[in-house]
Amino acid sequence: MENNLKTVAEVINQATLVQQPESLKRLNSDSRQAESFWKQKLVECMTSVSPGFVIDARNRRELDALYRWVWERAGRIMGGSLDPCKGIMLCGPIGTGKSTLMKGLQKYESLVNRYAFAFSRKDLGFAFVSAAEISLRYAEQGIDGIIRYVQRECASGLCIDELGREPSDAKHFGTGLNVIQTVLQLRYEFRYEYCTHATTNLELNDIPARYGIYIADRCKEMFNIIHVNGDTRRK
């Protein structure tokens, strides 16, 4: 991905295939209107996932980071750097809205890819699955159950929800495997083709103990780490 594109209109105009309705083409030719339109669509995607979703001081920076990531805007974010070539890892306590943000991002990417790029962007869009479900697929089917996540030829973008809450040693007919460690290790090899995203309650210094120093170090290359803090939003 290129990191020097300044506006939404510029990103869209660089697409190799754009088959948009004429009304949307006209809108995207105006940078200011395009910005306003696509930011509103991001909020609508969030509220479609969680009708009670509100923008407040606890998620405003996170929403801004997700918006900038989709539109390939590198820069500083929350004390770190935002790299559009890396996936997103949302870290934070239980109930702070990490899964909602990622599910909303999933819908938003699909919307952007459809109406801005006529599905020409293979890097936009991802599957959303929990770490526990991936581990269960291995326990039930063995390697065949997780091949869709780890084999380059059939892989796609992926968000692993609740990283760290899965069993650390899933067994298929007695053969144990740290499934998520394996998934992360193999997806690292094609990280520039398909992004991996994650949500987790783990702190960064917990990752080596859970998945090994090797994976912890590679997470730095795979993810933009974004902290989602505060009290639980669940009532």
Side-chain angles (χ1 to χ4, degrees):
M1 294 183 184
E2 295 181 16
N3 298 337
N4 59 352
L5 299 174
K6 304 271 183 205
T7 69
V8 170
E10 286 175 326
V11 176
I12 294 172
N13 288 337
Q14 292 228 346
T16 57
L17 175 63
V18 180
Q19 298 174 349
Q20 306 165 321
E22 286 301 319
S23 59
L24 193 54
K25 284 185 178 180
R26 289 194 297 270
L27 181 148
N28 286 328
S29 68
D30 185 305
S31 296
R32 184 176 301 177
Q33 287 188 5
E35 292 284 338
S36 177
F37 175 83
W38 286 112
K39 285 181 178 179
Q40 180 60 36
K41 288 301 177 185
L42 176 60
V43 175
E44 289 176 9
C45 286
M46 296 296 168
T47 55
S48 72
V49 171
S50 176
F53 181 86
V54 294
I55 302 175
D56 55 29
R58 295 165 55 192
N59 62 22
R60 194 178 304 276
R61 293 184 306 171
E62 289 80 358
L63 281 172
D64 178 65
L66 297 180
Y67 178 82
R68 287 166 52 192
W69 183 86
V70 171
W71 296 106
E72 302 180 348
R73 294 178 178 174
R76 303 295 295 176
I77 182 70
M78 289 176 256
S81 61
L82 183 68
D83 184 348
C85 294
K86 299 179 181 180
I88 301 289
M89 177 182 282
L90 299 182
C91 303
I94 294 171
T96 51
K98 300 179 297 298
S99 296
T100 294
L101 288 171
M102 290 307 299
K103 288 178 181 178
L105 179 65
Q106 181 189 36
K107 288 197 168 189
Y108 185 64
E109 281 198 7
S110 179
L111 189 73
V112 169
N113 203 9
R114 177 180 180 182
Y115 288 109
F117 302 108
F119 293 114
S120 65
R121 291 275 300 273
K122 291 198 296 184
D123 59 318
L124 283 177
F126 56 87
F128 187 93
V129 61
S130 71
E133 181 178 339
I134 295 174
S135 294
L136 181 60
R137 287 180 181 275
Y138 171 78
E140 292 179 341
Q141 305 172 39
I143 293 298
D144 288 345
I146 64 171
I147 201 73
R148 72 185 75 178
Y149 309 121
V150 300
Q151 190 173 68
R152 186 191 305 264
E153 291 74 18
C154 59
S156 62
L158 174 67
C159 178
I160 305 173
D161 192 36
E162 297 187 330
L163 193 80
R165 297 191 66 185
E166 79 285 354
S168 59
D169 186 30
K171 287 184 170 59
H172 176 68
F173 288 105
T175 302
L177 183 70
N178 188 326
V179 178
I180 299 304
Q181 179 190 60
T182 302
V183 169
L184 292 174
Q185 179 178 335
L186 294 175
R187 290 187 66 85
Y188 174 85
E189 302 302 327
F190 51 86
R191 64 194 180 282
Y192 297 123
E193 298 168 59
Y194 298 105
C195 280
T196 304
H197 309 295
T199 73
T200 184
N201 302 135
L202 296 175
E203 297 293 336
L204 293 182
N205 57 11
D206 295 329
I207 292 179
R210 182 76 186 195
Y211 301 115
I213 296 174
Y214 178 81
I215 295 299
D217 187 62
R218 291 196 164 189
C219 281
K220 299 173 187 177
E221 291 185 73
M222 294 177 70
F223 298 110
N224 293 285
I225 309 297
I226 299 176
H227 295 276
V228 185
N229 297 315
D231 299 327
T232 180
R233 293 179 180 271
R234 298 191 180 107
K235 297 180 181 179

